[in-house]
Amino acid sequence: MFRPLSRRTVRWRPIEGEGLEHLVIAPHDGGIRADSVVIGERGGIPYGVRYRIDCDARWHVRRFWIETMAGQRLALLSDGKGHWRDEEGNALPEFDGCVDIDLAGTPFTNTIPIRRLGLTPQSETAKLTMLYVPFDRFEPFRDGQHYTCLEADRLYRYAAEDRSFSADLPVDEDGLVIDYPGLFERLRA
């Protein structure tokens, strides 16, 4: 079982190309808040974004926003049970059932389902439908992902539902990804 979360600062860099993420995560308002700045590139095009994710105490995403340095913004709210709406309160039924989010360009969003699900090595693989947000367009879509616990509170397998990609993710005592093979590595403090 993961330890109770206290304020932490974590940094990751991409394995290939240029970039850096600086994340601050802390308890907030009875839940968890993650604030981050990410610079990187995709397809040779550089980007700079900042994001905030608020989760309840059980790691259900309640709201998030993401914004480019040029001012492009996406902000969505959730009831924590897989029902989403935009900032104006308009329902987004196309994302019904998506409890978790996955933001491109950061290993942090893998922590959310890992902490929320409480998987054990004896658990079945959790099959999730994520609200996925690519950093190039900020147009979210549904994405099937699977999580399996390989070693309790230490190692989890992420797999794309279409089986096109998988990675074994080592995590620390807070459930934060240490290294994401082939994509990201954490910088040591």
Side-chain angles (χ1 to χ4, degrees):
M1 178 171 227
F2 294 110
R3 69 183 183 183
L5 186 70
S6 60
R7 182 180 175 88
R8 297 237 358 236
T9 300
V10 180
R11 288 183 171 184
W12 293 275
R13 72 171 191 87
I15 300 295
E16 295 183 16
E18 296 181 14
L20 180 67
E21 176 170 5
H22 179 93
L23 173 92
V24 176
I25 185 168
H28 177 79
D29 246 0
I32 297 99
R33 172 168 282 172
D35 283 301
S36 189
V37 174
V38 183
I39 56 171
E41 62 183 26
R42 183 169 181 116
I45 299 171
Y47 61 80
V49 301
R50 59 184 167 217
Y51 69 81
R52 171 175 286 165
I53 301 171
D54 287 330
C55 297
D56 64 21
R58 297 176 314 181
W59 290 82
H60 292 93
V61 176
R62 301 310 304 259
R63 70 182 64 86
F64 76 92
W65 60 259
I66 182 169
E67 183 174 43
T68 68
M69 296 296 107
Q72 183 182 8
R73 179 179 162 93
L74 173 69
L76 300 178
L77 304 148
S78 173
D79 64 358
K81 299 175 186 167
H83 301 100
W84 293 88
R85 61 187 191 284
D86 63 21
E87 285 184 294
E88 290 78 38
N90 300 309
L92 301 170
E94 63 270 30
F95 301 119
D96 281 357
C98 297
V99 174
D100 301 297
I101 64 171
D102 187 3
L103 303 181
T106 175
F108 169 69
T109 48
N110 296 98
T111 294
I112 297 169
I114 287 171
R115 287 289 304 243
R116 182 179 66 77
L117 294 168
L119 297 172
T120 66
Q122 297 79 27
S123 301
E124 291 184 26
T125 295
K127 297 177 181 182
L128 307 173
T129 304
M130 310 292 272
L131 189 152
Y132 182 83
V133 181
F135 280 0
D136 56 353
R137 295 183 323 272
F138 278 23
E139 295 175 13
F141 60 87
R142 298 171 71 88
D143 185 47
Q145 299 181 4
H146 298 175
Y147 283 84
T148 305
C149 177
L150 302 177
E151 188 178 339
D153 300 338
R154 293 183 181 263
L155 187 63
Y156 295 82
R157 178 166 294 142
Y158 159 83
E161 187 173 66
D162 66 5
R163 299 176 190 213
S164 63
F165 179 80
S166 69
D168 292 350
L169 306 175
V171 300
D172 65 16
E173 59 276 2
D174 290 318
L176 297 166
V177 173
I178 297 171
D179 291 307
Y180 198 127
L183 293 177
F184 303 100
E185 65 182 358
R186 194 152 91 193
L187 300 176
R188 307 299 176 219

